Amino acid sequence: MDTEINIKNYNVFRCDCKKSQHGGVLLYVHQNIIINNFFFFDDDECSAVICISKLSKCMISCLYRPPTASPESFSNLLNFYNNFFSMHNTTNKLQSYIFGDFNLPKFSWNSHCTLKKLSLKGTAYSLLNSFMDEHLLLQYIKANTRKNNILDLFLTNDPNFVHLVKCVDFNISDHYVVKIFTNCFKSLSTDLDNAGKPEISGLDFSTFNLNHANFDEITNELSQINWESIISNSTIEGFPEVFKQLIFSTLQKHCPSVSTFKNRKSSYWKKRRKISRKIRNYNKKLKRYNTVNNSFAIQQISTKIKNLQDGYKNSFFDEKRLAESLATSKIKTNSKYFFKYANIFRKTLSSPSLLLDKDDVLINDPKSIADKLQDHFRSVFSNPKNSLEMALKIKKPEINYPISQFSLSKNDIVMAIDKIKMDSAAPHSEIPAKVFKNCKAALSLPLQIFWKKSFTSGTVPQCYKAQQIVPIHKKGPKTDPTNYRPVSLTPHEIKI
């Protein structure tokens, strides 16, 4: 029997129903995903299997609930998961992926993929609702999987895991085949992992925490540089790189790195760490008392563990509530802080890692993804060559007042810098707007001298003409290139 269901390069985890010829679950896991432990559940009605991968930091599970299953049986199944979470996921580090045939027909799902509030206490619907709320799970299958019902569900607490869900007709069954395109597991070797991120040359200014920079010292040091000598000894194409290197080296002296402040742990994190330590100690005691069948001690320790788990979960809500109140209090005084906090929940900041072409073939190579997005962006914008041809047909106007002199003062540079917004974006290898805004007194001189030299020679550096195109996800499946819009990032020097 096992040889008939084996699939090459996949490990099989199965849980058959003991007292019935029907039911049971079968889970295939790729061999490159290392499974450290697995658990089974079967009560002659519902059944489930759970696999743990410590390297991938995830829990993969498959379950089956028959249409005739009683609420008591489904409650026992969910308690099986609750016990698993309490024993193996006390620190909330495991990402959970639960899928299977839940057999809950005529059920409505709202736009946030969570269950609608139900008043039917004790039913399978309300039990699943409470279970999802307790473990912060979301459901991502929104299309019908059998006739007009969504019977097969996919639950996870990882909002960035699912890219696309498709339900495909299956000839030998009245159920649809559900295809879920996801991010790759860390332990699974794929072409995406081998390709890696494309290397981008240049200095990385994003490593600096400019909110804690000493701009007085930076301005003072930049003012002491002999810019006239440097610009006269540099070419038009070579000066921009020298200019960035001098500013980068100055920031290294008077500006901390981002990692310095990311390593700071909040008080809520410290509180959760203490709770996790207590839960581990109580679990050890609970195992000892289980061996001697001390029911009174077991009940006391179980109550303490439950209270600690509730406190652990509530700390996340308290931390989120504090962050929300802090963001709302700064709507008027620091709107950028508020919108930065709001954007965390509004869109995904990571770049696309998976795309589908017209033939529904999965693309995960970074260069192929970039080419696919570029083809889409080109198709929706006008062709510059056509515009150039039209411009050549236009008769050149007569210039009655040619520019014989070019006047550019330091005050003009300062005024141009003032027009740039503080949060204006630039490529990661270019100087941020905050540096220009806070050091405009020192940087106005080199920019004035350089742009005068550029006007005299009649050339502009190629690096100032280049643009970095960043795809921003708008809506819909993240695997569809048409659901991205391009944002062009240019160096701030060309804006001045």
Side-chain angles (χ1 to χ4, degrees):
M1 179 66 179
D2 288 340
T3 58
E4 296 179 359
I5 62 174
N6 282 339
I7 299 178
K8 187 178 180 181
N9 297 328
Y10 281 85
N11 293 321
V12 180
F13 300 90
R14 56 186 295 183
C15 179
D16 299 324
C17 187
K18 297 179 181 178
K19 296 185 179 181
S20 175
Q21 294 181 352
H22 306 284
V25 293
L26 184 66
L27 177 62
Y28 291 94
V29 182
H30 198 277
Q31 290 179 353
N32 287 339
I33 302 177
I34 301 175
I35 300 301
N36 303 97
N37 205 349
F38 51 89
F39 307 90
F40 301 104
F41 173 85
D42 177 42
D43 65 350
D44 300 332
E45 291 188 62
C46 297
S47 53
V49 58
I50 295 178
C51 296
I52 301 177
S53 176
K54 293 183 179 180
L55 183 59
S56 298
K57 296 182 179 180
C58 70
M59 177 271 281
I60 310 169
S61 177
C62 181
L63 67 84
Y64 174 67
R65 175 190 173 273
T68 58
S70 62
E72 291 76 15
S73 175
F74 190 52
S75 177
N76 293 334
L77 174 63
L78 296 181
N79 288 332
F80 167 71
Y81 281 97
N82 290 329
N83 293 332
F84 166 80
F85 285 123
S86 63
M87 295 291 291
H88 300 276
N89 198 23
T90 55
T91 58
N92 205 33
K93 290 182 179 180
L94 288 178
Q95 299 293 350
S96 302
Y97 310 114
I98 305 174
F99 49 89
D101 188 358
F102 285 73
N103 276 305
L104 296 176
K106 298 179 181 179
F107 204 80
S108 300
W109 301 85
N110 62 23
S111 58
H112 297 288
C113 302
T114 56
L115 294 177
K116 286 187 174 180
K117 299 299 180 181
L118 298 171
S119 59
L120 303 176
K121 294 184 179 180
T123 64
Y125 301 98
S126 60
L127 291 173
L128 182 58
N129 183 34
S130 302
F131 174 75
M132 292 177 64
D133 287 343
E134 182 178 358
H135 300 292
L136 307 176
L137 297 172
L138 303 177
Q139 204 287 116
Y140 282 90
I141 301 178
K142 305 300 293 294
N144 296 331
T145 60
R146 183 179 183 270
K147 295 183 180 180
N148 296 325
N149 296 309
I150 304 176
L151 304 182
D152 303 284
L153 308 180
F154 180 80
L155 312 179
T156 179
N157 58 354
D158 185 359
N160 295 322
F161 184 72
V162 177
H163 281 265
L164 178 67
V165 178
K166 281 190 174 184
C167 295
V168 184
D169 192 9
F170 197 40
N171 295 329
I172 63 175
S173 174
D174 56 354
H175 279 261
Y176 290 103
V177 175
V178 181
K179 293 183 178 181
I180 302 177
F181 298 90
T182 68
N183 280 324
C184 301
F185 290 95
K186 291 182 179 179
S187 62
L188 184 59
S189 176
T190 63
D191 295 336
L192 179 62
D193 298 326
N194 296 330
K197 294 184 178 180
E199 294 184 1
I200 302 176
S201 59
L203 305 173
D204 191 358
F205 285 88
S206 62
T207 58
F208 295 112
N209 192 329
L210 297 176
N211 294 323
H212 297 80
N214 188 347
F215 284 108
D216 292 335
E217 292 294 333
I218 295 172
T219 303
N220 183 41
E221 185 169 334
L222 292 175
S223 300
Q224 297 177 5
I225 298 176
N226 188 354
W227 293 108
E228 293 184 5
S229 175
I230 292 175
I231 295 174
S232 62
N233 295 327
S234 302
T235 61
I236 296 295
E237 294 291 341
F239 174 74
E241 189 64 28
V242 176
F243 184 61
K244 287 191 297 183
Q245 287 179 353
L246 289 172
I247 294 178
F248 189 88
S249 60
T250 305
L251 289 175
Q252 286 180 318
K253 300 177 184 177
H254 307 287
C255 182
S257 61
V258 175
S259 59
T260 303
F261 296 91
K262 279 188 175 180
N263 290 334
R264 292 185 178 179
K265 304 297 183 181
S266 65
S267 58
Y268 291 98
W269 180 87
K270 296 177 181 178
K271 178 181 177 181
R272 289 193 290 268
R273 188 177 181 182
K274 291 180 180 179
I275 293 176
S276 300
R277 191 181 297 115
K278 291 181 180 179
I279 291 176
R280 286 196 298 270
N281 293 334
Y282 279 127
N283 282 328
K284 292 178 181 178
K285 292 182 180 180
L286 190 62
K287 289 181 179 179
R288 290 198 298 267
Y289 285 122
N290 282 328
T291 56
V292 297
N293 294 326
N294 190 339
S295 59
F296 179 74
I298 291 173
Q299 184 178 2
Q300 277 191 327
I301 294 176
S302 300
T303 304
K304 291 180 180 180
I305 292 175
K306 182 65 170 60
N307 293 334
L308 288 172
Q309 290 173 347
D310 292 340
Y312 189 95
K313 184 176 67 174
N314 292 333
S315 69
F316 284 100
F317 294 109
D318 294 339
E319 186 176 18
K320 183 179 180 181
R321 195 178 298 112
L322 177 63
E324 289 179 351
S325 61
L326 181 61
T328 52
S329 64
K330 293 187 176 183
I331 292 178
K332 294 183 178 180
T333 58
N334 189 358
S335 59
K336 181 182 177 182
Y337 180 89
F338 171 78
F339 287 109
K340 184 178 180 180
Y341 177 78
N343 286 340
I344 297 175
F345 307 95
R346 187 174 64 89
K347 62 184 180 181
T348 303
L349 302 180
S350 59
S351 58
S353 57
L354 294 173
L355 285 182
L356 288 176
D357 60 9
K358 295 180 180 179
D359 300 326
D360 285 346
V361 177
L362 194 64
I363 302 173
N364 57 9
D365 177 61
K367 186 180 183 304
S368 301
I369 291 175
D371 293 340
K372 192 68 179 176
L373 290 171
Q374 186 181 36
D375 293 339
H376 166 63
F377 296 153
R378 283 176 175 174
S379 65
V380 296
F381 286 96
S382 58
N383 191 346
K385 293 183 179 180
N386 296 337
S387 301
L388 180 60
E389 292 175 359
M390 292 294 295
L392 293 175
K393 295 179 181 179
I394 300 175
K395 185 179 179 181
K396 294 183 179 180
E398 295 182 1
I399 302 176
N400 299 324
Y401 303 97
I403 300 177
S404 58
Q405 294 182 350
F406 178 67
S407 176
L408 181 64
S409 63
K410 291 175 59 178
N411 189 44
D412 294 331
I413 300 295
V414 172
M415 292 175 61
I417 294 176
D418 289 336
K419 292 181 181 179
I420 300 176
K421 295 182 179 180
M422 183 68 76
D423 57 348
S424 180
H428 76 97
S429 60
E430 299 295 335
I431 304 171
K434 185 171 286 189
V435 176
F436 284 106
K437 302 284 283 186
N438 289 278
C439 304
K440 55 187 176 183
L443 297 179
S444 58
L445 176 62
L447 291 174
Q448 177 202 17
I449 300 173
F450 171 73
W451 283 122
K452 278 187 176 182
K453 182 178 180 180
S454 175
F455 178 81
T456 304
S457 62
T459 57
V460 176
Q462 290 295 326
C463 61
Y464 288 164
K465 299 178 184 179
Q467 300 176 351
Q468 180 179 338
I469 306 299
V470 180
I472 302 296
H473 180 253
K474 298 182 296 183
K475 60 181 180 179
K478 299 173 185 176
T479 54
D480 189 355
T482 60
N483 290 328
Y484 291 87
R485 64 179 179 88
V487 173
S488 175
L489 303 180
T490 56
H492 293 302
E493 291 91 328
I494 197 66
K495 304 174 186 178
I496 300 173

